[in-house]
Amino acid sequence: MFKLAYGVRDYRKIREENYYYVDKTNYLKLLEEEGDILAYFRPDDFGKSLFISMMYYYYDINSKKIFNDIFKDTFIFGNCTDNKNNYYVLRFDFSNMIVSNDNLLEIEREFFRKVIDCIKTFNCDYGFDFNVSSNDVSVSELMLEFLSYFRMLNLKNKLYIMIDGYDNFFNTVLFKDKDKFISIVNNISFV
């Protein structure tokens, strides 16, 4: 008997705890054929987070040991690409970002905190020691420093950046204040 996975966003949990899962791993090959920068837009509760979680476990170098257990009986199991478990994955998740405050500076600080948390998790997951300081740098400056640090390591495996939950954050701001939304997403804002 399978359990329904309503609201479960973690692919590994679904596979290990025998939740009902509709295999979408065939899309991994298709996405790789599409290009290097992809955007995946779907309405709320259409499985974006679960799909990104599945991608994470497929591409993450640390998931090699669990690959067979969580991908058995899927399309990709017998049709792996060269990119399987071949990346360091920096995964941003803005789905639980607090945007209840109308103060633009507070929203920017919360966004910055989320970015820092994700980089700290990355450091922990892969044993890196990128100094995540919040000393008067912007998010873009922090990301440029991080990317420079990663490039300087000259590692065999590349970096894969995944962003999830952006729609929750943006939609919340847009619903409250269209002008604030425009100021956040323009080409000189913190986002």
Side-chain angles (χ1 to χ4, degrees), residues 47-58:
K48 294 181 301 291
S49 296
L50 179 58
F51 191 81
I52 287 174
S53 175
M54 182 261 295
M55 289 177 64
Y56 169 78
Y57 289 112
Y58 182 75

Side-chain angles (χ1 to χ4, degrees), residues 141-174:
E141 290 168 328
L142 176 65
M143 285 307 300
L144 285 173
E145 287 177 21
F146 174 80
L147 293 173
S148 294
Y149 164 82
F150 189 85
R151 193 173 297 118
M152 179 198 70
L153 295 174
N154 201 26
L155 300 167
K156 179 186 121 194
N157 298 85
K158 294 180 182 178
L159 179 67
Y160 201 133
I161 299 174
M162 297 180 182
I163 304 172
D164 189 18
Y166 53 86
D167 56 331
N168 181 50
F169 161 54
F170 286 144
N171 289 341
T172 302
V173 175
L174 177 60

Side-chain angles (χ1 to χ4, degrees), residues 36-92:
D36 294 334
I37 300 173
L38 304 169
Y40 182 55
F41 298 103
R42 301 293 292 163
D44 285 344
D45 299 324
F46 259 75
K48 294 181 301 291
S49 296
L50 179 58
F51 191 81
I52 287 174
S53 175
M54 182 261 295
M55 289 177 64
Y56 169 78
Y57 289 112
Y58 182 75
Y59 292 111
D60 172 45
I61 62 170
N62 285 346
S63 296
K64 283 180 186 176
K65 294 175 193 152
I66 61 170
F67 180 84
N68 290 345
D69 292 334
I70 65 175
F71 284 97
K72 69 181 175 217
D73 302 323
T74 65
F75 172 85
I76 204 69
F77 187 78
N79 300 284
C80 293
T81 67
D82 292 339
N83 293 317
K84 175 191 130 212
N85 300 127
N86 204 27
Y87 288 88
Y88 296 99
V89 180
L90 176 59
R91 191 163 71 165
F92 293 102

Side-chain angles (χ1 to χ4, degrees), residues 4-161:
L4 291 180
Y6 183 76
V8 180
R9 301 172 53 199
D10 183 47
Y11 177 78
R12 182 177 181 181
K13 177 182 175 88
I14 284 176
R15 298 293 290 166
E16 290 180 344
E17 296 182 16
N18 207 27
Y19 282 92
Y20 180 74
Y21 174 70
V22 176
D23 183 17
K24 294 191 171 142
T25 61
N26 60 311
Y27 290 106
L28 293 171
K29 280 184 132 179
L30 296 172
L31 288 173
E32 287 184 20
E33 293 168 4
E34 283 301 312
D36 294 334
I37 300 173
L38 304 169
Y40 182 55
F41 298 103
R42 301 293 292 163
D44 285 344
D45 299 324
F46 259 75
K48 294 181 301 291
S49 296
L50 179 58
F51 191 81
I52 287 174
S53 175
M54 182 261 295
M55 289 177 64
Y56 169 78
Y57 289 112
Y58 182 75
Y59 292 111
D60 172 45
I61 62 170
N62 285 346
S63 296
K64 283 180 186 176
K65 294 175 193 152
I66 61 170
F67 180 84
N68 290 345
D69 292 334
I70 65 175
F71 284 97
K72 69 181 175 217
D73 302 323
T74 65
F75 172 85
I76 204 69
F77 187 78
N79 300 284
C80 293
T81 67
D82 292 339
N83 293 317
K84 175 191 130 212
N85 300 127
N86 204 27
Y87 288 88
Y88 296 99
V89 180
L90 176 59
R91 191 163 71 165
F92 293 102
D93 183 359
F94 298 105
S95 63
N96 60 355
M97 186 172 149
I98 301 166
V99 289
S100 59
N101 193 323
D102 289 334
N103 183 327
L104 197 56
L105 188 56
E106 267 310 303
I107 294 172
E108 182 176 1
R109 284 186 188 132
E110 178 66 14
F111 184 81
F112 191 74
R113 280 191 290 270
K114 293 298 288 180
V115 169
I116 287 175
D117 288 347
C118 294
I119 292 174
K120 284 180 179 177
T121 299
F122 180 88
N123 277 344
C124 184
D125 287 349
Y126 299 110
F128 292 127
D129 62 354
F130 175 71
N131 182 16
V132 187
S133 66
S134 55
N135 298 344
D136 296 326
V137 295
S138 67
V139 171
S140 59
E141 290 168 328
L142 176 65
M143 285 307 300
L144 285 173
E145 287 177 21
F146 174 80
L147 293 173
S148 294
Y149 164 82
F150 189 85
R151 193 173 297 118
M152 179 198 70
L153 295 174
N154 201 26
L155 300 167
K156 179 186 121 194
N157 298 85
K158 294 180 182 178
L159 179 67
Y160 201 133
I161 299 174

